[in-house]
Amino acid sequence: MVPAQYYLVLSAAVFCIGIFGLLTRRNALLFLMSVELMLNAANINLVAFSYYWGNVTGQTFGLFVLALAAAEVAVGIGIILTLYRNFDDVDVMQATTMRW
């Protein structure tokens, strides 16, 4: 059995990569990818603790997080397509001109 600390370190590393990508990038597609990394880090924790404690509750919540991530991508792609149509670029700094 793999110790739970290994899963926690992996999850923390993936989450930190996601945070770094979210804070340093200006491309909307990279924003979406960074949020997906953060959600996957949460899934790693949920599944690891589910395995560690011997129940399926964490795996069930992991499936809900995957469904949430799919919905987030669908909405995000719609927003990115609107950005590209209006500005011919997916740079999020240009989207501030869309305000009222």
Side-chain angles (χ1 to χ4, degrees):
M1 182 170 156
V2 178
Q5 291 87 3
Y6 293 162
Y7 294 114
L8 294 177
V9 169
L10 174 66
S11 175
V14 171
F15 192 83
C16 288
I17 291 169
I19 287 286
F20 178 76
L22 195 67
L23 294 176
T24 60
R25 304 294 178 182
R26 291 172 37 176
N27 190 338
L29 286 173
L30 293 177
F31 272 15
L32 279 178
M33 290 172 53
S34 298
V35 170
E36 289 295 322
L37 281 174
M38 292 164 54
L39 288 173
N40 283 331
N43 270 344
I44 291 171
N45 275 336
L46 289 169
V47 172
F49 283 120
S50 173
Y51 178 71
Y52 183 73
W53 291 106
N55 59 14
V56 296
T57 307
Q59 294 174 8
T60 305
F61 279 115
L63 287 174
F64 284 123
V65 170
L66 284 175
L68 175 76
E72 176 256 335
V73 166
V75 171
I77 291 294
I79 293 171
I80 289 171
L81 286 174
T82 303
L83 277 174
Y84 188 74
R85 276 190 206 148
N86 290 336
F87 299 107
D88 292 329
D89 194 12
V90 290
D91 186 9
V92 294
M93 300 308 280
Q94 291 181 356
T96 57
T97 61
M98 290 179 67
R99 289 188 280 190
W100 296 66

